[in-house]
Amino acid sequence: RAVLRKASALEYKIQRRALRKEDFINYIQYEVNLLELIKKRRARIGYSFKKDEIEHSILHRVHSLFNRATGKWKDDVQLWLSHVAFCKQWNAKHQLSKVFSTMLAIHSNKPALWIMAAKWEMETRLSSESARHLFLRALRFHPECPKLYQEYFRMELMHAEKQRKEKKEFEQAKMDLGEFNYSEEILNGEMARIVYRDASQKIKGVEFQLAVLSIAKLFDFTQDLQKEILESLQARYADDPLTWDYMARRELELGSLQPTENSTKQKKVSEMAQREERCCAVFDEAVGAVPTEDMWKCYITFCLERYNRKTNSEELKQKRLERTLSVFSKAHESNLLSEALYKQWLQLLLDSSLSEKAVEVAEAATRHFSQSVETWQMRLRVLIQLKRDDVTQCFEEAIKHVKSKGTLPLWTLWVEWSEGTNSKEDTQALYQRSLHATTPAESVTMKEMYLDWTYRSSGYKKAKRLFTSLCENRPFSLDFFRKMIQIEKEQESCKMLHLREYYERALREFGSTNTDLWLDYIKEELSHPQGKPENCGSIHWRAMKMLQGDLVEDFVSKYTLLQTGHL
């Protein structure tokens, strides 16, 4: 009765004149949950009769609900995918074929859906012919889609592998192959070769060639095909860093194909070192043939990857470090090192305790990227970490080179360093200078830091005087006022008169855009020993007048919660 009552209520909702997608989704979800419940109960009591009357009628209803929903909201891909998932879960193969057919007619512009349908045909229905037909249809809509070609290429190789296995099993069973016609060309992946040749004419770029090559490597009968792809790669993209990167890394794999059984640890280490040397020889040739920043980046990335690999051999680890540092130096000498790679080089030098070299590299980086705030920060951090004497000089140099708009990170780093190193007077002078040197928007952060430092180093009275003087120059941040309010609250003789002054100043700046500030002011009047609860009414009235748009409603609801003691 409960099930009937619920189903009827859901049914009425989808019979309305104005249909809502949520009603369909809720109804489908309810029926799916019911199916799961029936399945569990059947498993528990071991009852397997009347499936046609119970499950099949529910399944039929869910499919019809999905059909109505996808017919009404055709553009909702998620709805289609939910139907596909439902069909897969309940093994409704015939229904799923129809769903894919209708979905692809409407959403033919989405390659991922074509691939999903073709994969299902190939892997679940074991129909290579249907999968091929779908891929060919998809390629008519998307003739230059690399992903479609890759998956079609993979499908043809899977088909060839399946036929090879079938033929092998028949031969092992000594069965007559008369009625089964296995073409040698198809068995050797000729169809995949045709797909590749067609694709490589339409799709340019090394990435596609490498993706296809990595797919071909998964199958053990594609040596000739791999060779053809590799030759095409070298002929057409000889100047591309990715081609050289692949050719160099291939040397590692070629070495690992040789049998290494019964070899000692020392032998394995020397073998690995030889393989890496061969890779580096190819990379050295590459940077000579293609002297670009990207090529050096590939070389350095490879060296760093090898260096970061775990090894028990200290000799190999040291060799890798030396090689990596040498490559960094060569790239730097060629003026082809990017800003990010300078950062990695510096980190490597610091980790290896080569501090003098790190200082040199940091200086070179700032010469190359004199406008970059990040590079100057990097250099300054190195100098601070090593406790060098020329930190102040370097800060001055950095401020001179970098445009004033982006200097905030440098000023914050400078004052933080000065707080721990220089005298109070020097730090104060630096803070004062930073307020004039930074843009108005950036000076806001400096004001907060200045107020916080003054309170920590000189106490409440100086902080209060500083606050009053800083308030003469806009702009401000809300945190600047909140910091001063917090400082006042930390005093033993916390005066409500001062708190009112700070709140009033903050409200003049942020009263129209911040509800919490008004509420905090009201709370202060209610809870402070010197507070005047009778002021809350006028504060509330002012807030209602000053706040903008939806904030008034937000304030009213929060104020009500405050009055009832829930906030």
Side-chain angles (χ1 to χ4, degrees), residues 15 17 45 55 72 75 115 175 179 184 189 288 312 320 352 466-467 493 516 542 555 562:
Q15 298 303 336
R17 182 173 286 178
I45 63 174
E55 276 96 329
K72 174 82 176 162
D75 293 340
I115 291 167
M175 286 176 66
E179 57 186 283
E184 276 302 316
N312 294 327
R320 284 172 176 172
S352 309
L466 176 69
F467 174 78
S493 58
D516 291 340
R542 283 169 59 203
F555 173 72
L562 180 65

Side-chain angles (χ1 to χ4, degrees), residues 97-159:
S97 267
K98 285 184 184 175
V99 174
F100 272 132
S101 179
T102 317
M103 178 174 71
L104 292 172
I106 295 162
H107 293 284
S108 55
N109 60 333
K110 295 181 175 64
L113 299 180
W114 288 100
I115 291 167
M116 183 197 286
K119 270 190 168 181
W120 178 74
E121 289 286 355
M122 180 71 192
E123 291 167 11
T124 309
R125 298 195 77 184
L126 306 174
S127 171
S128 310
E129 199 57 49
S130 301
R132 187 180 294 123
H133 181 63
L134 276 169
F135 274 122
L136 290 170
R137 274 181 62 202
L139 288 168
R140 281 205 292 275
F141 287 103
H142 307 277
E144 292 180 2
C145 176
K147 191 67 184 164
L148 265 176
Y149 272 111
Q150 285 167 32
E151 293 303 325
Y152 185 17
F153 180 77
R154 190 196 306 272
M155 189 280 292
E156 289 295 0
L157 288 176
M158 283 167 69
H159 174 60

Side-chain angles (χ1 to χ4, degrees), residues 466-483:
L466 176 69
F467 174 78
T468 309
S469 72
L470 289 176
C471 280
E472 290 171 14
N473 295 311
R474 283 187 171 88
F476 311 110
S477 69
L478 185 57
D479 288 337
F480 172 68
F481 292 107
R482 287 202 183 279
K483 184 76 207 167

